[in-house]
Amino acid sequence: MDGNYSQSGVVTPSFELNDGLFPGPSPISPAQATAPRSSALSNKLTSVLSASYTDFELRDALDTLDRRGIKNLPETRRRLRQNLQKEVIECNGDIVKDFGMVAEQLKRIGSTIASLNRCCEDMRRHISAAQKETTPVLHEASSLLSQKHDVEVQQQLLDAFNKHFIISDEELTILTASTEPVDDRFFEALARVKVVYKDCQVLLGSSNQTLGLEVMDQTSRNLNSAYQKLYHWVQREFKTLHLENPQISTPIRQALRVLAERPSLFQSCLDSFSEVREDTLLDAFHTALIGPSSSIEQQSSTKPIELVAHDPLRYVGDMLAWTHSVTVSEREALEVLFISEGDGIAKGIQAGKANEPWSLADGEESAVFDGRKALEQLVNRDVSGVARGLRQRIEQVIQSNEDSILEYKIANLIKFYRVTFSKLIGADSVLLDTLADLEEHALNQFRLTQRDHIASLQTHATHPPTDLTVPYFLTAALNLLTALLKTHDTSLIPTSSLHGDSDEDASFQPILAEALDPYLRQCTALARTLTDPDATIFLLNCLLATRQTLLPFPFTRERVAELDTTIDEHASTLVEHQHAFFLRTSGLQPLITALAPFLPPNTKAASNAEDTDSNPEEPDPPSLCGPDLATIASLPALQPHALAETSRILDDFLPSALLDAMENLKRVGSARVVRDVTEEAAGRFCEDFEGVVWVIAGVDQWRDGEKEGGEGEEGEEEEEAEDEGEGERPRLRDLFPRTSAEIRVLLS
C-alpha cells in the first residue's frame, strides 16, 4: 500500500493487490485467461518466489495487519481494501478539522500583535519627550559625581599619607620619653618610624620634593631620639644584668639587635659592658680565692681556694679550673645574649655601616661581621682581669718552688688548660697569652733547677763507682726522669692529638735535654778517668739504664733509637776487646800476626780450604802462588815446634774459653749484651781460625806437590836436608789438627 498526498493535504491510498493474496476481480487480460493453466501456475509461482520479504515496507504492512488481528479469510481479503480506504478518509477529515482550529487561533494572535505595536509607538513618543526634558539635569549630576569622586580620592590619599608618614603624638612619646618603658610598643613604634624613613625616598622621587625632605628630616630626628633612649636604657640594664640567670630578658636581646643598627652606640655599649663584666669576674675571682664575706659565709658550702695553697699543684689547678668554669659560663651567657637568635646583630651592624659610612677609615672596606669571632673577643675582654690575677698568683707559686718535678707538672697542667682555652675563646686572647707566658716561666724555672743540680753535681761526683755500675746521681736523675715521663704520658691532652707522633717526640726533647743530657755528659766525663774496657763498660751500663727508662714511653722513640746506636758502638768496642782476648789467650795472636798479609779476604775461602782438607781426594788448590807459600812455610810461627806449641795452648784454652770471656764482662749490667758481644767476638775468632787453617792447608798442598814432582832446587835441598839426618818434615795439619767446626762447637 502506497500513500499519496494531494495538494489539499488529504491522503489518497493506492493498492496493488496480487490475485494470489486478495481474490476478487482479476486484473489479468482476456488473452491471458485463455492461456493454459500450467502457464498461470508457473507465473504465480514465479511472482511468489520473486517477492522480496526483506523489504521494510512489506514487513511494516504485514506487521500492521498482524497488530489489527486480521485473519486470513476470504471475506476479510475481499473487504480489506474498503476498510482501509474508509480509515484513510476518516483520518483526513480529522486533520482538516484540526487545521481549521489552528487558523482561527492565528487570526486572534495577529490582532493582539497589532494592538501591541500601537502601544509601543505611543510609549516611544512619550520617552522621547521625557529625554529631551531631563538631558541637562543628567549632565549636571554627572559632573557633580565626578567632582565628589575626586574629592574622595584626595581625602583617601591624605588619610593614607597621614597614617603612613605622620607619627602620632602617642608614638612619639613612646619613642622619646624617658619615662616610658622599653617594651614591645617601643619596638613596634621604632619599626614603623624606620619604615617611614625608608619610604621617604619615594617622596624624594616625586615632583614635590619639599614634602619628602621635611618628612625625612623629622623622621631622622625621631629615629635618633629613639636610638639615644634605647642606648641609655641598655646601659642601665647592663649595670644590673646577671648573666648567671638562665632566663635573660627578651627585651634586652631585642634591644641589642636593634641597637646594632647604630654601630657606634652598639660598640660603646659593648665597651661599658666589658668593663662591668671584667670588674664583676675579678671580684668573683677574689671571692673564690679568699671566700665570701662573713654575712654570706654561713650559707656558702664552697671552700676558698687559698685553703689548698700548701699544695701548689692543686692550688694552681683549682684556680685554672675556676677560670675555665667561669669562662665557659660567660661564653654561654653571652652566646644566649648576642647570637642565640640567628644573625640579627650581624645584619643590623652591616646595615648600620651602610648608614654610617663616616665611621669607616679612608679606603677601608666594610668587613663582614663574624658573630663567633666577636663573641670570643668579648669573652676575652671580660676575663682579662682574671688573667692578670691568675698570672700574679701562679708566678708566685712557681718562683717559691724548687721541686723540678712539681715545676714540670705545673707547666704541663698550664699547657693542658692553654689547649682547652684555645678551643673555647680562640687563639688570639689575653688569657692564652698569659697561660703561654706562665707555661714558659714554669719550664724556665724547671731548667734553672736542673742546671743548679748539675752544677752542684760537678763538684761532688768526681769518680765513677768501683764496680762500674750506674752512679748514684744518674740513678736519681733517671728516677726524676721517670716521674717526668709519666707526667707527660698521662697528660689529658697528649701532643699527638694535636700535631702527630713526630711532633710529640720533638715536644719532649727539650725536657730530655735538661733532665737527661747533662747527666750523660757527666758520665762521659767520669769515663775518661778510666781505661778500656772499664770506660766502655761504665758508659754502656749508663746507657742501658737510660734506655730501660725511656723504652716504655712511645714519645721517646727517637731518643731510644739514638741510644741504640750509641750502645751498638760501645758494644762493638767490647767485641774488639773480647776478640783480642780470644786471640791472646788462645795463642793464635803470633800466628795471626805472621799470617796477616796472607789471610783470605773472607770466610768463604777458609771454608773452601777446610773442605779441601776434609776431602783430600778432590783438593781445591789454594789461591796463593808458589813464592807466597814458600815464604809462609819459612815463617817462624809455622815451624813444627812453634805450631805444636800453639796447638797445645789452643787446646788448653778452648774448654773454658767462653766462661773466661764472659767473666771479663761480668760488670756489664745486661746479660743479653754480654751474650751478644761474646758470641760476636767468638764468631770473629772462628773466622780468624778458619783463615789460619786455610793457609796451613795451602802450605801442606804445596809441599805435597813439590814432593811428588821431585824437581827444582827446593826439592833437591829438601832431599839433602833429609840425607843429613833431619828426617821427613811432618804435615802442618798434623801438628795443628783442630777444625773450625770444633772451635764453633766449643765456643757456642
Side-chain angles (χ1 to χ4, degrees), residues 457 460-475 519 522-531 533-542 667-668:
L457 180 65
H460 295 86
T462 57
H463 299 286
T466 56
D467 56 354
L468 304 181
T469 56
V470 180
Y472 72 92
F473 65 85
L474 182 60
T475 302
Y519 297 97
Q522 183 67 20
C523 292
T524 303
L526 294 179
R528 295 192 186 100
T529 62
L530 300 173
T531 58
D534 292 345
T536 303
I537 293 175
F538 175 68
L539 287 177
L540 190 59
N541 287 334
C542 296
R667 290 177 294 180
V668 177

Side-chain angles (χ1 to χ4, degrees), residues 386-689:
V386 177
R388 292 192 298 270
L390 200 65
R391 176 193 292 272
Q392 180 182 1
R393 281 161 177 78
I394 294 181
E395 284 181 349
Q396 291 176 356
V397 172
I398 294 174
Q399 291 174 359
S400 61
N401 180 54
E402 295 182 356
D403 186 357
S404 57
I405 296 179
L406 186 59
E407 291 166 353
Y408 180 73
K409 288 182 177 180
I410 292 175
N412 213 25
L413 180 63
I414 296 174
K415 179 181 179 181
F416 162 70
Y417 276 101
R418 178 173 61 82
V419 174
T420 304
F421 278 114
S422 66
K423 300 176 181 179
L424 184 63
I425 58 177
D428 188 11
S429 171
V430 175
L431 183 58
L432 283 182
D433 295 339
T434 301
L435 293 178
D437 294 341
L438 291 174
E439 180 185 354
E440 185 63 26
H441 183 55
L443 291 177
N444 289 335
Q445 190 70 19
F446 168 77
R447 297 186 187 98
L448 290 175
T449 304
Q450 290 295 317
R451 290 168 186 173
D452 293 342
H453 188 267
I454 290 297
S456 63
L457 180 65
Q458 291 176 350
T459 59
H460 295 86
T462 57
H463 299 286
T466 56
D467 56 354
L468 304 181
T469 56
V470 180
Y472 72 92
F473 65 85
L474 182 60
T475 302
L478 292 179
N479 293 332
L480 172 64
L481 182 61
T482 301
L484 298 178
L485 290 168
K486 291 180 179 179
T487 301
H488 184 81
D489 189 47
T490 57
S491 297
L492 297 179
I493 300 295
T495 310
S496 59
S497 64
L498 300 176
H499 306 289
D501 294 340
S502 60
D503 290 339
E504 184 180 9
D505 292 347
S507 66
F508 199 72
Q509 290 302 320
I511 305 302
L512 294 177
E514 297 294 336
L516 178 63
D517 292 348
Y519 297 97
L520 293 180
R521 287 194 293 269
Q522 183 67 20
C523 292
T524 303
L526 294 179
R528 295 192 186 100
T529 62
L530 300 173
T531 58
D532 284 333
D534 292 345
T536 303
I537 293 175
F538 175 68
L539 287 177
L540 190 59
N541 287 334
C542 296
L543 293 175
L544 289 173
T546 304
R547 182 183 184 278
Q548 188 66 25
T549 302
L550 298 178
L551 189 60
F553 302 96
F555 51 88
T556 59
R557 285 189 294 267
E558 292 184 2
R559 178 53 66 92
V560 170
E562 295 176 3
L563 290 176
D564 288 339
T565 302
T566 308
I567 290 172
D568 291 341
E569 293 175 357
H570 290 296
S572 299
T573 303
L574 291 180
V575 169
E576 295 291 342
H577 173 73
Q578 289 289 78
H579 180 235
F581 169 76
F582 279 125
L583 293 179
R584 184 177 63 256
T585 311
S586 64
L588 290 183
Q589 184 66 53
L591 192 58
I592 295 295
T593 303
L595 297 179
F598 309 100
L599 289 176
N602 49 44
T603 58
K604 184 177 180 180
S607 299
N608 292 336
E610 185 176 352
D611 293 340
T612 301
D613 182 74
S614 59
N615 298 285
E617 296 180 359
E618 298 179 3
D620 187 6
S623 59
L624 295 173
C625 59
D628 291 337
L629 293 173
T631 304
I632 293 173
S634 63
L635 292 175
L638 286 182
Q639 299 307 312
H641 64 279
L643 192 59
E645 181 65 19
T646 301
S647 178
R648 183 189 63 78
I649 297 174
L650 178 62
D651 291 340
D652 295 339
F653 159 76
L654 287 176
S656 62
L658 195 60
L659 295 178
D660 294 340
M662 296 183 70
E663 183 68 18
N664 294 335
L665 303 180
K666 65 180 179 179
R667 290 177 294 180
V668 177
S670 173
R672 181 184 61 82
V673 174
V674 173
R675 183 178 63 255
D676 293 344
V677 168
T678 304
E679 288 179 357
E680 185 175 353
R684 294 179 60 180
F685 175 77
C686 292
E687 292 176 359
D688 294 340
F689 182 81

Side-chain angles (χ1 to χ4, degrees), residues 124 142-143 203-204 324 517 603 711:
R124 189 179 294 109
S142 176
S143 176
L203 295 179
L204 294 178
H324 177 263
D517 292 348
T603 58
E711 297 177 357

Side-chain angles (χ1 to χ4, degrees), residues 165 195-206 212 216 355:
F165 288 96
V195 172
V196 171
Y197 184 82
K198 183 178 180 181
D199 292 344
C200 285
Q201 298 176 2
V202 179
L203 295 179
L204 294 178
S206 63
M216 180 174 285
N355 295 330

Side-chain angles (χ1 to χ4, degrees), residues 291-299:
S293 61
S294 58
S295 60
I296 313 176
E297 187 174 2
Q298 296 178 354
Q299 302 177 1

Side-chain angles (χ1 to χ4, degrees), residues 31 84 213 315 325 630:
L84 294 176
L213 290 175
Y315 180 58
S325 175

